Amino acid sequence: MAESLPLPAAPSPSEYLRAALRSPVYEVAEVTPLQKMEKLSARLGNQVLVKREDRQPVHSFKLRGAYAMMASLTEEQKAHGVVTASAGNHAQGVALSATRLGMTSLIVMPVSTADIKVDAVRRFGGQALLYGANFDEAKAKAIELAREQNYTFVPPFDHPAVIAGQGTLAMELLQQDAHLDRIFVPVGGGGLAAGVAVVIKHLMPQIQVIGVEAEDSACLCAALKAGHPVDLARVGLFAEGVAVKRIGDETFRLCRDYLDDVITVDSDAICAAVKDLFEDVRAIAEPAGALALAGMKKYIQLHNIQGERLAHVLSGANMNFHGLRYVSERCELGEQREALMAVTIPERKGSFLTFCQLLGGRAVTEFNYRYADGDNACIFVGVRLTRGHEEREEIISLLHQGGYQVVDLSDDEMAKTHVRYMVGGRPSKPIRERLYSFEFPESQGALLKFLHTLGTHWNISLFHYRSHGTDYGRVLAGFELPEQDAEFERHLRELGYECHDETRNPAFRFFLAG
């Protein structure tokens, strides 16, 4: 077994490079392919290359950093074993690394963790302990157990040995293609981005390294703005592999000093990138795994990049199968290949035909309608696009010229998540109604807590639930109550679920409100 030397608290670039060169990760990890994406390259006018970290034994790059740190432990530390907290790829990396190194491993996972992930940890030889309602509670328990049982806590990203282990990916990239112009790397806690950036910029500073964050988990952007790591008020969980509230101290130092740029993308863009990867190389990436490609596509568009060699890291493929439903629904919007609109049309025979004729032969992807009154009908319609945002604006202008009232819902999250599945339901009598969107924990008792806290005090006039294979479900709920109700607001705070008032949302006003 190769020796892995301990690193100081804040290593220099040359120390990180030496650690990456001497890293023993290949005792367990694979050299993953750098594969050309032929279809996307032709479409984008650049040579697009994907680094296939989904080909690792645990289907994620996390194995590199976990093994690098654990191999550097003393014999006494190895004898006591390790503990970590994770609901995803880091958990599997630690479990497999411990088994290969002859150590025991305890993985603390939130109680809502999907069975497929718990089973994977156990399959790789780790002991899984389900504890806490979320990652923060699981992490606190893991640190407590480390103190009590003398385990070594293995952090997922903020440790020099972990960062150096992730830096081995950069070494492979340079050996596989030394003529790259830019490398796009996903950012969660920053371990991979830091490791890749410090190695690349030390060896070949002319290659740009771009970090990509999910818009709803952009802890690096927040830290760069503040000048130091800060806690996000909340993080989105669709790309759960990068759903990190606070970037690490050492990873922030390296990302700040060595990344050339950082870009953020939304969930729809990530869904479109998942589809690109499947269509081009038949890989099924998890959302966080497709994050770097989503960022690359946006960066190309923003900076009009043509004729370059661009690599991105497919960082993981531990996809919850049920999450593919959401990806399939949203990828067309992410590619700007579909427009969603609310259109008011006359309530008479032939109206739909006239409307479609005005669209000029464009394909209608969705048409939701229910009779409301004898004069006008409000339809929820999807139209397939071939030229993105420009064509969307053309269609709206065309409909306005044809005398139709149109509201563009393509960027309306509530319309895309809930209303498109609920069109046609209005109350039979006028009611005073307020609408809220909630994030429900995917755990036993979440609905009962909601009903006990709110449902026994106020009449629930509307309820719609959508699960997307993450730790939270999306809920839309209406209540009969006046504009201002201090008691209701107090109960909302007592409930403690993330929520937003959607009463004035245009999709609700068009299709569901009384």
Side-chain angles (χ1 to χ4, degrees):
M1 183 184 297
E3 280 294 316
S4 180
L5 299 179
L7 285 162
S12 67
S14 58
E15 287 173 319
Y16 268 119
L17 177 60
R18 282 196 296 272
L21 285 167
R22 300 185 59 160
S23 178
V25 300
Y26 298 106
E27 292 170 2
V28 63
E30 303 285 342
V31 175
T32 55
L34 182 64
Q35 187 174 1
K36 183 180 178 183
M37 297 182 68
E38 299 283 356
K39 294 179 182 178
L40 199 59
S41 295
R43 195 170 95 207
L44 298 179
N46 294 277
Q47 295 292 310
V48 177
L49 305 164
V50 53
K51 181 65 171 163
R52 296 289 303 274
E53 285 299 285
D54 59 308
R55 297 284 189 88
Q56 292 292 358
V58 299
H59 307 294
S60 162
F61 76 95
K62 285 287 190 177
L63 181 61
R64 297 176 184 266
Y67 193 88
M69 178 192 166
M70 292 164 64
S72 70
L73 299 178
T74 65
E75 291 304 317
E76 181 180 357
Q77 288 174 316
K78 291 177 181 176
H80 285 290
V82 296
V83 65
T84 195
S86 172
N89 297 332
H90 179 61
Q92 297 175 49
V94 170
L96 179 57
S97 297
T99 298
R100 292 292 180 91
L101 291 165
M103 304 161 57
T104 59
S105 63
L106 175 62
I107 318 297
V108 185
M109 312 178 83
V111 294
S112 60
T113 303
D115 290 343
I116 188 172
K117 298 178 181 179
V118 179
D119 293 343
V121 164
R122 291 170 176 159
R123 188 173 68 251
F124 287 125
Q127 178 186 350
L129 171 64
L130 300 181
Y131 182 90
N134 53 48
F135 171 76
D136 289 330
E137 291 181 14
K139 181 181 177 182
K141 183 64 174 179
I143 293 173
E144 176 189 328
L145 289 170
R147 289 195 300 265
E148 292 178 352
Q149 306 295 331
N150 206 20
Y151 294 129
T152 296
F153 180 74
V154 183
F157 47 83
D158 198 26
H159 190 285
V162 173
I163 296 167
Q166 317 301 21
T168 59
L169 186 149
M171 301 297 301
E172 290 178 25
L173 274 173
L174 294 179
Q175 291 165 354
Q176 290 166 327
D177 192 332
H179 301 285
L180 295 172
D181 293 296
R182 303 173 207 258
I183 300 168
F184 292 81
V185 189
V187 180
L192 180 63
V196 169
V198 70
V199 170
I200 293 292
K201 303 309 283 189
H202 189 61
L203 290 175
M204 300 190 74
Q206 74 275 18
I207 299 177
Q208 290 202 350
V209 184
I210 316 297
V212 185
E213 290 193 287
E215 282 183 357
D216 54 9
S217 304
C219 60
L220 173 57
C221 285
L224 290 170
K225 183 177 180 180
H228 56 84
V230 294
D231 287 340
L232 297 177
R234 62 183 296 270
V235 294
L237 292 171
F238 172 60
E240 61 179 338
V242 291
V244 176
K245 182 180 291 187
R246 181 187 180 98
I247 198 165
D249 293 332
E250 176 64 359
T251 54
F252 171 67
R253 179 182 78 88
L254 295 172
C255 288
R256 177 196 61 202
D257 293 349
Y258 297 105
L259 282 178
D260 292 283
D261 207 349
V262 182
I263 190 170
T264 64
V265 294
D266 63 20
S267 295
D268 289 349
I270 294 171
C271 291
V274 171
K275 181 184 177 186
D276 288 327
L277 284 161
F278 175 75
E279 291 190 338
D280 224 312
V281 297
R282 292 299 184 266
I284 301 179
E286 62 185 275
L291 180 62
L293 175 57
M296 174 192 287
K297 290 167 62 182
K298 183 176 179 179
Y299 206 82
I300 290 170
Q301 184 180 35
L302 287 175
H303 298 278
N304 195 27
I305 296 169
Q306 292 289 301
E308 292 192 358
R309 297 185 70 80
L310 309 173
H312 65 94
V313 181
L314 195 177
S315 58
N318 288 304
M319 180 68 163
N320 182 333
F321 183 79
H322 297 293
L324 290 172
R325 177 179 59 181
Y326 179 79
V327 171
S328 177
E329 290 170 355
R330 301 293 285 261
C331 62
E332 296 291 293
L333 290 165
E335 293 174 327
Q336 296 191 4
R337 293 185 181 180
E338 184 182 32
L340 296 181
M341 297 171 288
V343 183
T344 302
I345 66 174
E347 183 59 81
R348 61 172 180 259
K349 292 180 179 179
S351 289
F352 185 31
L353 174 61
T354 304
F355 172 78
C356 290
Q357 288 172 336
L358 189 61
L359 291 176
R362 293 181 177 90
V364 174
T365 59
E366 187 165 352
F367 186 89
N368 291 323
Y369 155 75
R370 186 179 178 187
Y371 177 85
D373 62 49
D375 298 321
N376 294 298
C378 197
I379 61 173
F380 186 102
V381 61
V383 181
R384 189 171 303 282
L385 307 176
T386 58
R387 292 181 285 109
H389 183 76
E390 178 186 353
E391 186 179 8
R392 190 169 93 191
E393 293 298 319
E394 288 178 7
I395 292 171
I396 293 171
S397 177
L398 189 68
L399 291 174
H400 280 310
Q401 292 171 21
Y404 293 97
Q405 295 179 33
V406 185
V407 175
D408 185 5
L409 301 177
S410 304
D411 299 319
D412 188 316
E413 184 63 28
M414 197 185 83
K416 293 184 286 187
T417 302
H418 295 288
V419 175
R420 71 190 303 176
Y421 305 102
M422 302 172 65
V423 169
R426 291 181 183 271
S428 59
K429 63 180 181 179
I431 61 173
R432 293 189 301 177
E433 186 178 34
R434 286 171 64 188
L435 188 73
Y436 289 84
S437 60
F438 293 87
E439 288 188 352
F440 271 37
E442 288 286 358
S443 57
Q444 289 184 350
L447 177 58
L448 285 177
K449 180 180 178 182
F450 173 86
L451 294 175
H452 282 308
T453 307
L454 299 176
T456 56
H457 300 277
W458 293 273
N459 182 48
I460 296 174
S461 56
L462 175 153
F463 192 88
H464 184 249
Y465 166 76
R466 294 273 292 161
S467 174
H468 301 108
T470 65
D471 293 338
Y472 284 79
R474 308 282 186 89
V475 173
L476 192 67
F479 301 87
E480 279 194 76
L481 71 162
E483 184 85 12
Q484 300 293 330
D485 190 323
E487 187 68 8
F488 181 79
E489 299 293 339
R490 185 180 70 80
H491 277 72
L492 270 185
R493 292 192 294 272
E494 179 185 325
L495 178 66
Y497 294 172
E498 184 72 29
C499 70
H500 300 279
D501 190 332
E502 305 281 5
T503 307
R504 302 193 184 282
N505 182 284
F508 172 61
R509 309 308 302 177
F510 267 97
F511 297 110
L512 301 172

